[in-house]
Amino acid sequence: MAAVPAISIANLSVDLGGRRILDDLSLEVQRGEMVGLVGASGSGKTVLLRTMLGLLPKSAGQVEILGLPLERAAPREVRAIGRRCGAMFQQGALFSSLSVRENVEFPMREYLDGSDRMFRSVALAKLRMVGLSESDAEKLPAELSGGMTKRAALARALALDPEIVFLDEPTSGLDPIAAGEFDTLIRNLHDMLGLTLFMITHDLETLNAVCDRVAALHEGRIIADGPMHALLQSEHPWLQAYFRGERGRAVQWAR
Amino acid sequence: MAADMAHEPRINQTSLGDGAVLVLSGDWTAPHARLIEDLAHRALPQARRIVIDLTGIARLDTFGACAISMLRDAAGGAGMKPVLMGMAERNAPIFAALDPATAAEPPRPRASLLDAPESIGRNLTNAGADALALFSMLGRLVASFGRGLRDPSRLRFPSIVHHLDRTGVRAAPIVLLMTFLIGCIIAQQGFFHFRQFGATDYVVDLVTVLTLREIGVLLVIIMVAGRSGSSYAAEIGSMKMREEIDALRTMGLDPVDVLILPRVLALVVAAPLLTLLGMLAALLGAGVVAFLYEDMNPAIFLLRLREAATFSHLEVGLVKAPVMALVVAMTGAIEGLRVSGSAESLGLGATSSVVKSIFLVIVLDGLFAILFAWLGM
Ligand SMILES: Nc1ncnc2c1ncn2[C@@H]1O[C@H](COP(=O)(O)OP(=O)(O)OP(=O)(O)O)[C@@H](O)[C@H]1O
Ligand SMILES: [Mg+2]
């Protein structure tokens, strides 16, 4: 079987509001890889993710998801890709008029043929996996705490057992125990389903525990790309500041 | 493992004494959701003990695990002792999460005969609550305006001017066009029907009185309710949704001062001006029709107009405008503040602001008619 990369980005540039946010950026993620993306606040991580999902226009370059360029694909193919991907947005983006359980069931109802009973038990299982209880399942998004919103959004991203999962800061706003549970959950899913993960995070613990590879975005480009320990050794001043600043060191000392 | 080959999910059953072995194979995954559930449903054999063998499964995900859990629970429910065999270590967490696999169906609200009277009662109390909310908002606005008069820097003139521009200046073209057309239509209908009685001269009286007293102000206010009242509700509602109103409160600011009073004042000022414009446009429309359709000399039209258009007719129209605008703006603000977390409630707020304010405006118009009759205007 030819190894089609899960995600392939070549020479991507994106301009927003007359400013170049991403500049000639290239990145490839193989199937089953767990890749973390780091970068300063406002460096364009979310922009990169949204461009990969086809939500923002590109100025130049190509993005292929599972070997398919989204902008040239037929609507049927885009739908097929949509079934195999799950995305979680930074703000959660839960559908506000549906309950948490209905939010998780929504992609199932759209894409799958199955009974209500099965969808309900799978949805509840997903919610349990991310640490939400049965009583939370019937709440509306407006009635959730910040961390619960994150978990519900994660459950919805995982609803279809997708092959690729895109996550934008999944652990920010979670307490350390919950963040640890998240790490375990993602690793379990990877073991079970062979999940490919593309995750934006500032959480050094999560990077360490989950990601095979870490890419660093700085000034619109990927300045470093490799296993966590290689990035820690990097001589790039920004990376040094990022990983070996007070907070980064505190994490390393702790282990 | 050839993952891209189509693996039809299957169950093969073999009996062993008083027990049975179910051998599962193929892809037990999401795309086959309906199929695997049906399989699991039909597979239950007549046996005392059953072994569910998972070793032959090519791919398994949560949906497959769910179907298998359902099968196991059904077997357990039928008094058998189901045993899962060959479950990979890595799949244990899925089965654990699915454990109370068949979650109880949430109770559904039942329709009953009592629903109809109940909803009538509910609507009545809601109407009462609406009236209360309107008076309470009026009170808060008056208090806020009073504070503003004592300290004019708190009146937020830039904001008032901004809203005047949005709700007044920018509404002018559409108001002019609409009232012009209505003026044309009323005049044309008048000429057409009055011609039979040879009373075409009175058409000018008809148009003038109707426009100045009723049509001018009502049309403008209904347009304002649809245009500005609904946008007030939507703006304030989405600020409520995104906790902006709470942020204001924690800064020690009153949302009525900051958000609502400037909007209300702008609309109260804009409405009479728009009404005046609308009246002029309607009369102009009537004049154009009189000239083109009835060959009435413009000089004669103006003469009749001068006689018909008394100051008191104009006053009646212009007095109503700010009061009605106040009600429209307050209704928009109230419905906006009622928005809860969901997008649906935002839409509901915008809609009900328009429906309620138009209804209230018509009721007010009736009350004004009684008042002016009593005053002899
Ligand atoms: N729709 C937009 N129009 C114009 N500029 C935008 C738009 N969206 C984002 N930007 C700009 O792009 C830059 C990158 O934003 P982005 O949201 O990708 O940051 P980020 O790396 O995700 O940061 P954070 O870690 O804080 O989430 C920012 O300077 C932002 O102002
Ligand atoms: Mg971001």
Side-chain angles (χ1 to χ4, degrees):
Chain A
M1 193 167 73
V4 180
I7 305 168
S8 141
I9 304 168
N11 308 100
L12 174 70
S13 297
V14 174
D15 298 271
L16 283 176
R19 217 157 56 79
R20 178 142 290 203
I21 310 285
L22 300 179
D23 186 16
D24 199 25
L25 180 149
S26 300
L27 184 69
E28 211 161 80
V29 178
Q30 301 304 325
R31 298 236 186 152
E33 252 189 324
M34 315 253 263
V35 174
L37 181 70
V38 299
S41 240
S43 59
K45 302 182 296 297
T46 302
V47 168
L48 175 58
L49 186 78
R50 295 178 69 89
T51 313
M52 286 159 69
L53 295 170
L55 300 172
L56 285 177
K58 310 190 269 290
S59 309
Q62 281 94 45
V63 175
E64 291 182 4
I65 305 290
L66 294 164
L68 200 73
L70 281 185
E71 74 276 11
R72 277 184 275 124
R76 208 169 43 83
E77 292 174 308
V78 173
R79 215 177 130 78
I81 293 289
R83 205 193 74 65
R84 296 162 70 187
C85 297
M88 169 188 165
F89 295 98
Q90 200 164 3
Q91 318 293 348
L94 295 172
F95 303 124
S96 58
S97 38
L98 301 180
S99 74
V100 169
R101 176 177 56 77
E102 287 164 338
N103 261 284
V104 181
E105 284 177 12
F106 182 83
M108 301 182 196
R109 290 185 192 287
E110 282 298 306
Y111 281 110
L112 302 180
D113 174 33
S115 69
D116 286 354
R117 180 158 162 251
M118 174 174 249
F119 288 165
R120 197 174 43 247
S121 19
V122 173
L124 289 178
K126 300 278 175 191
L127 289 171
R128 232 172 268 135
M129 284 185 200
V130 298
L132 288 174
S133 72
E134 218 140 309
S135 59
D136 298 329
E138 299 306 323
K139 287 185 179 153
L140 287 174
E143 301 163 350
L144 300 180
S145 76
M148 283 155 79
T149 306
K150 287 262 151 165
R151 291 162 184 246
L154 179 63
R156 191 181 67 182
L158 299 174
L160 295 173
D161 284 330
E163 290 168 46
I164 310 182
V165 183
F166 299 92
L167 304 176
D168 198 346
E169 304 204 9
T171 53
S172 69
L174 293 189
D175 63 83
I177 301 176
E181 284 168 359
F182 165 84
D183 297 347
T184 318
L185 168 68
I186 287 293
R187 267 203 313 260
N188 282 342
L189 287 173
H190 178 253
D191 292 345
M192 290 186 301
L193 308 170
L195 190 83
T196 307
L197 178 74
F198 184 84
M199 172 170 65
I200 296 171
T201 185
H202 293 296
D203 188 333
L204 299 182
E205 286 285 359
T206 299
L207 284 173
N208 230 335
V210 174
C211 296
D212 311 322
R213 232 175 87 199
V214 179
L217 181 63
H218 185 62
E219 292 175 348
R221 291 159 187 271
I222 300 292
I223 52 163
D225 181 2
M228 182 76 173
H229 59 85
L231 261 72
L232 288 175
Q233 305 307 321
S234 165
E235 293 302 313
H236 193 286
W238 182 81
L239 278 177
Q240 294 230 336
Y242 190 87
F243 289 116
R244 295 198 228 154
E246 289 285 341
R247 290 164 156 256
R249 261 209 317 273
V251 171
Q252 283 166 45
W253 276 344
R255 58 190 60 248
Chain B
M1 177 173 67
D4 46 352
M5 249 174 64
H7 281 277
E8 184 91 344
R10 261 174 220 293
I11 298 186
N12 287 323
Q13 184 187 330
T14 29
S15 294
L16 271 178
D18 63 348
V21 180
L22 302 179
V23 180
L24 277 51
S25 59
D27 282 353
W28 285 63
T29 50
H32 305 292
R34 170 92 49 191
L35 181 60
I36 54 181
E37 195 188 350
D38 284 350
L39 277 179
H41 213 67
R42 283 188 275 112
L44 206 60
Q46 292 297 330
R48 286 255 223 90
R49 281 173 299 137
I50 111 171
V51 173
I52 303 170
D53 182 2
L54 309 185
T55 33
I57 289 182
R59 290 204 298 163
L60 178 72
D61 66 9
T62 319
F63 293 85
C66 176
I68 293 166
S69 299
M70 282 176 177
L71 172 60
R72 186 188 52 187
D73 291 353
M80 304 172 209
K81 278 203 161 252
V83 178
L84 284 190
M85 201 178 86
M87 180 172 72
E89 183 68 32
R90 62 201 167 95
N91 291 331
I94 304 191
F95 282 96
L98 277 163
D99 211 12
T102 42
E105 198 151 333
R108 282 191 195 183
R110 286 262 193 105
S112 99
L113 273 180
L114 284 178
D115 283 357
E118 186 190 323
S119 83
I120 293 175
R122 251 181 231 290
N123 286 341
L124 277 179
T125 42
N126 284 350
D130 280 351
L132 259 175
L134 212 54
F135 283 112
S136 129
M137 178 57 74
L138 186 62
R140 287 161 73 186
L141 281 170
V142 169
S144 163
F145 189 55
R147 286 194 295 269
L149 285 186
R150 253 182 290 139
D151 177 7
S153 69
R154 292 179 58 165
L155 267 184
R156 292 168 207 278
F157 282 107
S159 171
I160 296 177
V161 171
H162 170 73
H163 288 294
L164 256 178
D165 176 53
R166 281 185 43 202
T167 59
V169 177
R170 286 175 204 212
I174 183 67
V175 162
L176 284 173
L177 181 64
M178 190 179 65
T179 46
F180 177 81
L181 290 176
I182 293 285
C184 291
I185 292 166
I186 294 175
Q188 188 272 336
Q189 289 290 308
F191 284 124
F192 184 77
H193 291 285
F194 280 30
R195 223 180 255 156
Q196 302 166 25
F197 314 111
T200 43
D201 282 3
Y202 291 107
V203 171
V204 183
D205 295 65
L206 169 79
V207 174
T208 311
V209 173
L210 211 53
T211 303
L212 295 190
R213 293 187 75 107
E214 297 292 338
I215 299 290
V217 63
L218 276 184
L219 279 180
V220 167
I221 292 292
I222 288 174
M223 176 55 91
V224 160
R227 211 181 156 276
S228 308
S230 62
S231 81
Y232 285 3
E235 286 162 15
I236 294 176
S238 72
M239 289 187 207
K240 177 98 188 294
M241 259 169 94
R242 299 205 272 145
E243 301 175 333
E244 292 173 43
I245 305 249
D246 296 335
L248 275 177
R249 283 218 177 90
T250 48
M251 291 174 198
L253 296 170
D254 184 352
V256 174
D257 287 352
V258 182
L259 299 173
I260 300 178
L261 186 66
R263 285 180 165 79
V264 171
L265 283 181
L267 211 57
V268 167
V269 173
L273 298 176
L274 285 175
T275 303
L276 196 59
L277 281 180
M279 288 170 175
L280 294 178
L283 292 178
L284 180 66
V288 169
V289 166
F291 180 63
L292 295 179
Y293 183 74
E294 190 62 22
D295 280 335
M296 189 185 264
N297 190 324
I300 297 183
F301 179 84
L302 281 180
L303 201 67
R304 300 237 37 139
L305 180 67
R306 280 249 294 278
E307 271 172 38
T310 63
F311 191 66
S312 95
H313 289 327
L314 182 68
E315 243 179 337
V316 165
L318 288 185
V319 162
K320 288 196 265 190
V323 179
M324 291 175 171
L326 178 68
V327 169
V328 167
M330 286 199 306
T331 310
I334 291 170
E335 293 301 323
L337 287 178
R338 279 199 187 144
V339 168
S340 60
S342 75
E344 198 181 329
S345 74
L346 183 61
L348 215 62
T351 309
S352 65
S353 79
V354 176
V355 174
K356 283 180 189 169
S357 53
I358 290 179
F359 172 74
L360 285 175
V361 162
I362 305 287
V363 170
L364 263 183
D365 199 43
L367 293 179
F368 270 119
I370 296 171
L371 176 72
F372 288 130
W374 184 59
L375 290 174
M377 281 172 86

